[in-house]
Amino acid sequence: MTAPLISSTIHAGAQPLPSDGLADVMSQMGLRTTYARDEEIFGQDEETNLVYRVIDGVVRTTRLMADGRRQIGDFYFAGQVFGLECGQTRRFSAEALGDCTIEVMRRSTLESLAETDPGIEPMMMQAIARELDRAQDHVLLLGRKTACERVASLLLEVAGRNGEDEADLPMTRQDMADYLGLTIETVSRMLSQLQSKAVIRFRGLRTFEVCNSRALLRMAG
Amino acid sequence: MTAPLISSTIHAGAQPLPSDGLADVMSQMGLRTTYARDEEIFGQDEETNLVYRVIDGVVRTTRLMADGRRQIGDFYFAGQVFGLECGQTRRFSAEALGDCTIEVMRRSTLESLAETDPGIEPMMMQAIARELDRAQDHVLLLGRKTACERVASLLLEVAGRNGEDEADLPMTRQDMADYLGLTIETVSRMLSQLQSKAVIRFRGLRTFEVCNSRALLRMAG
DNA sequence: CGTTTCATTGAGTGCGATCAAGCCGTGTGG
DNA sequence: CCACACGGCTTGATCGCACTCAATGAAACG
């Protein structure tokens, strides 16, 4: 029986948003900003002197190749911290999927807090650890899963986020495609296919219901 | 001008191996073990109570899907730390590519050191940060690069490792394929193609020379 | 109502996978 | 020493999944 390498020493009280320790600290210090749909929150190659947290809305991090090919690194939902990087310059840009409220704080503030509070650094580590776990799942998805498995995996993730039977896709088909390493047409076809197999059912373009979660889980690989 | 979030407070002296701060600590405490080719160093779902460092040889981390599809997460060369995870159980297994010497230490030892030495935790963070950066590069490679670009990217990485004109591929074609999300046949074809374009030239099956590094860089995307 | 943007669907193509044969270096036993 | 087997790699032929190109449908918006 070993203790976890990283464990928060600050415990959160009741909170309106899903939270981790780092989010708690930020909520005491951060300034709020709003961003419009597709507005850039930070750009590739900018300095990493700010750390962010989603209050409302959804954020994506993206990377562009010279010829315009785009890869989405991750999506960040309400309560999640993003933009905490270790290097000097950003490796991704971040944009608002739709209208967003974001909390910002200086990284240096976090650092000086860490000098007196020994609980801060493990928390930052945990935030990065989550990034790493997700990136590694992403690698398996992109390296070895079929188009159908990729789409099913994303739907599972989104559906798991709000435990209800109805789930909301906050991103466009293009965003899904750029996250899954596919094209919009393939994403659309796989969604239709999953629907024709009665695994999911779409209510609107962005709202779906999981009809057979066992099948969806199996199809996600 | 902001200070880096993570900066080592212990500076390495002259060392025979490429090193980071964490490696220095381990070299004072770790026990050495040898592993034969393809021998498992740790397995998926094991506890994460040990941390490793490559002394000699090369290590790969791999992930298997239920039906046997394999994805290699990364390769670790002499001097690099691996197996430092944040969760309780391992998300990858690790095996020796060829015969290997590995240094092992208990994670709990590292943790207790961290309590007295404030330099340890930033160092662990840096080790994880490197993992994250590499995982994110890997995501772009798998999500948006062509077969040729993927192979070129890997060759660049390997060639960059030893600055000489001749570089050594420590892994089999199958390992390359499972890292790049391709098949051995495609890897082989791309290597032949790069050779026919006089971008690289093979001396043996595992030894190549970069003839046109500009072209290789361009082809890596 | 028209315009614009986003999504679906169809037809055809092509990149990388699959299936299969052969090559080559290495090791083993006669 | 050669004969043979074996594993790793290459090359060829063919297949099929996902991409591309194109048309249509469906919302959102002025």
Side-chain angles (χ1 to χ4, degrees), chain B residues 104-124:
Chain B
V104 194
M105 89 179 294
R106 311 201 100 263
R107 203 175 65 172
S108 55
T109 310
L110 222 47
E111 282 165 24
S112 51
L113 278 175
E115 283 175 16
T116 57
D117 184 341
I120 303 265
E121 201 152 276
M123 282 190 283
M124 294 193 294

Side-chain angles (χ1 to χ4, degrees), chain B:
Chain B
M1 191 71 89
T2 48
L5 175 58
I6 295 142
S7 59
S8 175
T9 56
I10 295 180
H11 296 285
Q15 285 254 331
L17 289 170
S19 70
D20 54 33
L22 190 52
D24 292 349
V25 174
M26 286 182 66
S27 66
Q28 296 163 18
M29 322 276 302
L31 293 174
R32 295 190 177 192
T33 320
T34 59
Y35 293 89
R37 165 174 219 251
D38 288 332
E39 195 177 345
E40 185 176 279
I41 299 168
F42 58 74
Q44 222 164 331
D45 300 323
E46 281 184 11
E47 281 192 22
T48 54
N49 53 341
L50 296 173
V51 181
Y52 304 82
R53 179 184 172 225
V54 182
I55 301 300
D56 191 55
V58 184
V59 169
R60 64 167 178 259
T61 50
T62 67
R63 215 166 188 186
L64 284 174
M65 292 179 64
D67 59 4
R69 280 176 284 180
R70 191 176 76 143
Q71 177 65 48
I72 290 183
D74 212 345
F75 298 107
Y76 298 86
F77 295 81
Q80 296 184 327
V81 171
F82 67 99
L84 178 59
E85 292 187 48
C86 302
Q88 290 277 26
T89 60
R90 302 224 172 265
R91 306 169 62 75
F92 288 89
S93 65
E95 301 110 31
L97 274 198
D99 292 353
C100 265
T101 307
I102 305 293
E103 197 160 56
V104 194
M105 89 179 294
R106 311 201 100 263
R107 203 175 65 172
S108 55
T109 310
L110 222 47
E111 282 165 24
S112 51
L113 278 175
E115 283 175 16
T116 57
D117 184 341
I120 303 265
E121 201 152 276
M123 282 190 283
M124 294 193 294
M125 201 142 168
Q126 195 161 41
I128 291 180
R130 181 192 161 277
E131 297 276 293
L132 182 56
D133 281 356
R134 286 187 57 80
Q136 288 172 340
D137 287 346
H138 206 175
V139 163
L140 179 63
L141 181 144
L142 295 170
R144 288 304 180 205
K145 289 191 183 181
T146 64
C148 188
E149 289 171 336
R150 295 182 200 196
V151 171
S153 299
L154 180 56
L155 292 182
L156 264 184
E157 245 185 71
V158 171
R161 178 158 300 287
N162 52 347
E164 305 153 31
D165 53 350
E166 201 162 278
D168 203 67
L169 282 173
M171 67 288 280
T172 65
R173 300 291 189 266
Q174 186 65 61
D175 287 328
M176 295 177 69
D178 288 342
Y179 177 75
L180 299 174
L182 301 169
T183 60
I184 44 172
E185 293 95 332
T186 299
V187 169
S188 183
R189 272 183 250 273
M190 296 303 120
L191 289 174
S192 300
Q193 191 179 307
L194 285 170
Q195 195 167 208
S196 75
K197 288 180 184 168
V199 177
I200 57 168
R201 183 163 40 186
F202 272 84
R203 300 217 174 283
L205 278 175
R206 304 278 185 89
T207 313
F208 69 96
E209 174 194 2
V210 179
C211 304
N212 188 340
S213 63
R214 251 189 110 66
L216 190 60
L217 201 61
R218 185 165 33 78
M219 300 188 82

Side-chain angles (χ1 to χ4, degrees), chain A residues 145-161:
Chain A
K145 290 192 182 179
T146 64
C148 187
E149 289 171 336
R150 296 182 198 194
V151 171
S153 299
L154 179 57
L155 292 181
L156 263 184
E157 245 185 71
V158 171
R161 178 158 301 286

Side-chain angles (χ1 to χ4, degrees), chain A residues 149-215:
Chain A
E149 289 171 336
R150 296 182 198 194
V151 171
S153 299
L154 179 57
L155 292 181
L156 263 184
E157 245 185 71
V158 171
R161 178 158 301 286
N162 52 345
E164 305 154 30
D165 53 349
E166 202 162 277
D168 203 65
L169 282 173
M171 68 288 281
T172 65
R173 299 291 189 269
Q174 186 65 59
D175 286 327
M176 296 177 68
D178 288 342
Y179 177 76
L180 299 174
L182 300 169
T183 60
I184 44 172
E185 293 95 332
T186 299
V187 169
S188 185
R189 273 183 250 272
M190 295 304 121
L191 289 174
S192 300
Q193 191 179 308
L194 285 170
Q195 194 167 210
S196 74
K197 288 179 183 168
V199 177
I200 57 170
R201 183 163 40 186
F202 271 83
R203 301 215 175 285
L205 277 176
R206 303 281 186 89
T207 313
F208 70 97
E209 173 194 3
V210 178
C211 304
N212 187 341
S213 63
R214 250 189 110 65

Side-chain angles (χ1 to χ4, degrees), chain A residues 27-42:
Chain A
S27 66
Q28 296 163 19
M29 324 275 303
L31 293 173
R32 297 190 176 191
T33 320
T34 59
Y35 293 90
R37 166 173 217 253
D38 288 331
E39 194 176 346
E40 185 176 280
I41 299 168
F42 58 75

